[in-house]
Amino acid sequence: MSALKNFQSEIQEIHARELARQRGQASGSSASRNINPKKLQVLEESNISGESRDAGAEDEVEAVLALLSSHDYDRARTSVAQLITGRKGEYIFRIGCRPPHTSLFAGERVDEATGWSGVPRTDAEVTSLQSSVKKVVEELGGKISLLFETTDGHHPRATLLLRLPPPSIELVPEVRCAVVGNVDSGKSTTLGVLTRGPLDDGRGRARVALFRHKHEIESGRTSSVGMEILGFSTAGTPVLPNMPPSADADMIRRDKLGWDEISAQSAKIVSFSDLAGHERYLKTTLYGLTSGAPSCVILMVGANAGLIGMSKEHLAIALALSVPVVVCITKIDMTPPNVLAETTKQVVKILKSPGCRKTPVFVNSMEVAVESSQTFAQYKLCPIFRISNVTGEGLDCLRTFLNLLPSSEADTETFAIDQPLEYSVTDVWSVPYVGTVVNGILNSGSVKTGDSILFGPDSNGNFQSTIVRSMQRKRADVTTAEAGQCVALALKRVKRAAVRKGMVIAHKTDTPPKATRQFEGQVLILYHNTTMQRNYQAMLHCGAVRQTVRIISMDNPEGVLRTGDRATVQFEFISQPEFVKVGMKLLFREGKTKGLGVITRLL
């Protein structure tokens, strides 16, 4: 396990170094060349900025509170506007002292703890400052929502969410979450309750609305990558269809808001990929994790069954891809207390094991939900929610946590808008009266309708040219899209058969992207029951690319690889060349996951 952790940190360093080098070449600016790979690695793991910005932000907040205390509303309004706009339209505003995270996350009583930060306030000050902040934010056209307040302890404090409505649908921030777990762990039911509103009846009422195929409704098992979105309004409330709590399955399935309606009413969108739990659909689940670029993975664990079967496989994949993990223990209403305690103990033990090295944090209060949402990725914390979709217990904390997650496109180290366009195709459709439509994620750059683009590579490694006819984001028409966003593009005069998953789209230039047939990578074999040697074939997952590869050579003196071995291996794509870059992480498997690595050289 320690070998896995060391290898992962090496992968991260190679990935960061190559990313910095490629951006330096693309932009030609010395600033891009001087990115510190170590710093880049920390930021990539965290998706949020470090402590230094937090300290600066605390000073800014205290300055605003001082202005409000002296009734200097004009300068306070300007400062608040700078705070919110500098954080992509939303800001978590704290009044009073902040408890030490160590005690808070350990579940201890924080009133007696030492290490509080911030300026102490009285009950009256907390209440009056709240109303002053509300007045200032509403004058700016925004809304505030009270996340947490305590006025009866030694440290009166309050936490507010300040949010401005987005100028257009193109700029609505989005958080991408992948939902994984074993069969029957409650993935689809939890998403059904979160995105539709009415609680479950304990018989699968909530999940019916999410299923896309007849056999899924009959078996109750997801077999495809289901996409669901949950919108949050400017006031911080979930955007849900107007349904009575006692709605039946047919009403839940029928009376749902369209994605375009949710986008129009939302100031933030959480996109869920409901991935399959059954072992038979591991290929689909793995593709959803590697191609979807999720900000976090939500691992569902049934309290009655524990962390069994594919749950461990999904957790291993998330750790291999260095994606932050959140655990939800479901079905707590039907589980006997001793079984729930045993499941909780098992989850904590696995998270603390040398392979995970995560610090479990039980989210039992709104304050823990607020604080952990901002720091869990950075400090390798793993928030654990205990929820019931029948009684609704624990769902408010989960909704608040999702509402406060940093947006995916705000991670500028992973998604650079000042670089050339690179768009990964993850889905292809043929839409009547529109033509061929592709869906995917902008890894870098920006695109607008009417742009001349290249898509490829085809079976010969060539790129074809076309024009972007129209664009949609969350099924709402848009005209521009930036790095980090997930958008669908309608391509002009392109046949459906000419486009496939794993292709890339770039702007039309004199030097088109180069397709690769053979490449070299550093790999670690996680598990194989015999040995791997030359001409061994496995399915490779690398970003949106999913294709069978063949081992053509390796630097192992014996010429074979066993479980736990590390080696530099040369691979060859079997079917057709693909667009891959040095520094990209790869997973290869034959049945279950077999190895992970990083591309070090293109041949």
Side-chain angles (χ1 to χ4, degrees):
M1 280 297 187
S2 59
L4 171 62
K5 268 306 183 195
N6 295 338
F7 185 67
Q8 279 181 308
S9 58
E10 281 182 40
I11 286 179
Q12 205 72 30
E13 273 188 47
I14 293 170
H15 178 69
R17 188 171 64 240
E18 287 301 325
L19 193 65
R21 187 182 62 79
Q22 287 159 10
R23 289 190 182 171
Q25 284 178 349
S27 64
S29 68
S30 57
S32 293
R33 287 195 193 95
N34 291 335
I35 295 173
N36 181 344
K38 285 278 185 191
K39 181 184 172 196
L40 193 62
Q41 176 189 346
V42 171
L43 283 164
E44 281 200 331
E45 285 178 357
S46 65
N47 290 340
I48 50 178
S49 296
E51 280 290 303
S52 56
R53 199 181 86 169
D54 275 353
E58 276 186 31
D59 294 341
E60 290 174 49
V61 168
E62 290 305 331
V64 170
L65 293 174
L67 291 169
L68 290 171
S69 300
S70 60
H71 304 291
D72 190 348
Y73 289 111
D74 290 339
R75 283 172 62 196
R77 193 183 308 115
T78 308
S79 300
V80 168
Q82 288 172 347
L83 271 178
I84 302 176
T85 52
R87 269 67 168 192
K88 301 278 185 183
E90 66 177 44
Y91 187 73
I92 296 172
F93 195 92
R94 298 173 178 88
I95 301 172
C97 290
R98 288 180 67 180
H101 281 178
T102 317
S103 305
L104 184 68
F105 293 159
E108 300 167 2
R109 284 184 58 83
V110 291
D111 282 347
E112 289 85 26
T114 55
W116 286 72
S117 61
V119 178
R121 304 278 176 184
T122 63
D123 295 355
E125 283 178 322
V126 169
T127 309
S128 70
L129 285 170
Q130 273 188 61
S131 56
S132 300
V133 171
K134 183 178 181 182
K135 176 186 171 187
V136 165
V137 173
E138 286 179 350
E139 284 173 2
L140 291 169
K143 293 274 177 72
I144 77 158
S145 54
L146 180 63
L147 299 173
F148 166 80
E149 181 182 28
T150 178
T151 52
D152 54 358
H154 299 301
H155 303 276
R157 58 197 184 277
T159 305
L160 313 172
L161 174 66
L162 319 184
R163 189 175 266 166
L164 294 176
S168 63
I169 289 178
E170 283 105 326
L171 298 173
V172 177
E174 176 191 10
V175 183
R176 286 187 291 276
C177 297
V179 182
V180 296
N182 198 48
V183 181
D184 303 332
S185 60
K187 297 183 294 299
S188 299
T189 301
T190 303
L191 290 191
V193 171
L194 286 174
T195 59
R196 298 294 191 274
L199 294 171
D200 191 45
D201 61 353
R203 294 282 178 272
R205 176 181 70 175
R207 72 185 178 195
V208 173
L210 274 67
F211 290 148
R212 293 161 54 171
H213 304 292
K214 184 170 178 279
H215 69 264
E216 291 180 333
I217 297 170
E218 288 167 355
S219 69
R221 287 180 178 166
T222 308
S223 65
S224 56
V225 178
M227 294 297 296
E228 289 296 320
I229 65 171
L230 170 62
F232 287 97
S233 66
T234 314
T237 54
V239 177
L240 301 170
N242 192 13
M243 244 186 281
S246 58
D248 60 8
D250 288 336
M251 183 183 282
I252 291 173
R253 192 171 176 81
R254 187 179 62 248
D255 295 352
K256 59 179 182 180
L257 288 174
W259 283 24
D260 49 347
E261 295 174 86
I262 295 173
S263 300
Q265 296 176 39
S266 301
K268 188 176 203 170
I269 289 174
V270 182
S271 300
F272 298 104
S273 306
D274 183 15
L275 302 176
H278 200 281
E279 189 171 349
R280 185 188 306 166
Y281 309 118
L282 176 64
K283 182 175 85 168
T284 308
T285 301
L286 198 48
Y287 184 71
L289 278 172
T290 53
S291 66
S295 295
C296 76
V297 165
I298 301 175
L299 178 68
M300 297 286 178
V301 178
N304 55 342
L307 199 59
I308 55 165
M310 295 307 292
S311 297
K312 292 180 181 177
E313 188 80 13
H314 295 157
L315 178 60
I317 295 164
L319 293 168
L321 295 169
S322 302
V323 183
V325 179
V326 176
V327 174
C328 285
I329 299 176
T330 60
K331 307 184 184 182
I332 61 169
D333 57 289
M334 61 170 275
T335 309
N338 61 320
V339 179
L340 177 60
E342 197 61 40
T343 300
T344 306
K345 186 178 167 186
Q346 180 205 16
V347 169
V348 169
K349 184 181 175 185
I350 289 175
L351 290 174
K352 285 182 173 177
S353 68
C356 292
R357 288 190 196 163
K358 299 269 186 192
T359 307
V361 174
F362 288 97
V363 183
N364 298 323
S365 70
M366 210 56 91
E367 187 170 23
V368 179
V370 172
E371 297 298 332
S372 61
S373 70
Q374 303 305 298
T375 55
F376 81 104
Q378 190 175 8
Y379 299 115
K380 298 209 169 169
L381 306 175
C382 180
I384 300 175
F385 294 86
R386 285 175 286 204
I387 62 172
S388 165
N389 294 311
V390 174
T391 63
E393 186 182 340
L395 288 174
D396 286 341
C397 286
L398 181 57
R399 281 197 183 98
T400 300
F401 180 85
L402 294 169
N403 183 20
L404 300 178
L405 285 176
S407 68
S408 299
E409 57 262 35
D411 181 13
T412 52
E413 298 298 338
T414 305
F415 304 109
I417 192 170
D418 57 349
Q419 299 296 309
L421 171 66
E422 185 192 308
Y423 174 98
S424 300
V425 176
T426 57
D427 251 318
V428 189
W429 305 284
S430 183
V431 180
Y433 312 111
V434 176
T436 301
V437 174
V438 297
N439 187 54
I441 292 169
L442 270 86
N443 298 323
S444 61
S446 59
V447 65
K448 59 182 187 295
T449 51
D451 278 1
S452 295
I453 55 166
L454 296 169
F455 67 91
D458 58 15
S459 54
N460 299 318
N462 299 323
F463 284 74
Q464 316 295 324
S465 63
T466 183
I467 290 172
V468 178
R469 176 184 282 170
S470 61
M471 289 166 53
Q472 282 195 343
R473 183 171 182 228
K474 302 285 170 268
R475 300 178 192 165
D477 290 322
V478 295
T479 54
T480 62
E482 297 177 350
Q485 294 183 344
C486 183
V487 291
L489 311 178
L491 306 180
K492 204 170 189 177
R493 288 196 289 275
V494 173
K495 289 186 176 175
R496 163 70 182 82
V499 192
R500 60 180 173 79
K501 293 179 184 180
M503 280 187 167
V504 293
I505 288 175
H507 274 135
K508 198 171 182 181
T509 55
D510 299 334
T511 53
K514 286 189 175 67
T516 303
R517 187 70 149 188
Q518 297 180 351
F519 62 92
E520 188 176 273
Q522 279 189 33
V523 297
L524 172 69
I525 310 304
L526 297 176
Y527 171 75
H528 193 52
N529 50 10
T530 56
T531 59
M532 293 182 187
Q533 47 202 352
R534 274 192 64 206
N535 293 323
Y536 172 83
Q537 294 186 8
M539 179 65 77
L540 177 101
H541 292 262
C542 182
V545 172
R546 178 174 69 181
Q547 197 190 136
T548 308
V549 291
R550 178 171 70 90
I551 293 177
I552 50 177
S553 74
M554 61 182 77
D555 68 351
N556 191 304
E558 294 178 28
V560 293
L561 294 174
R562 297 181 177 87
T563 301
D565 284 356
R566 278 184 57 173
T568 301
V569 179
Q570 291 187 355
F571 294 98
E572 179 182 45
F573 286 113
I574 295 281
S575 307
Q576 58 220 1
E578 299 278 7
F579 177 80
V580 290
K581 295 192 296 188
V582 174
M584 287 177 80
K585 296 174 191 174
L586 56 90
L587 285 170
F588 58 94
R589 60 168 191 84
E590 179 206 13
K592 287 195 173 184
T593 312
K594 289 293 188 288
L596 74 139
V598 61
I599 298 174
T600 52
R601 190 159 65 98
L602 304 179
L603 304 174

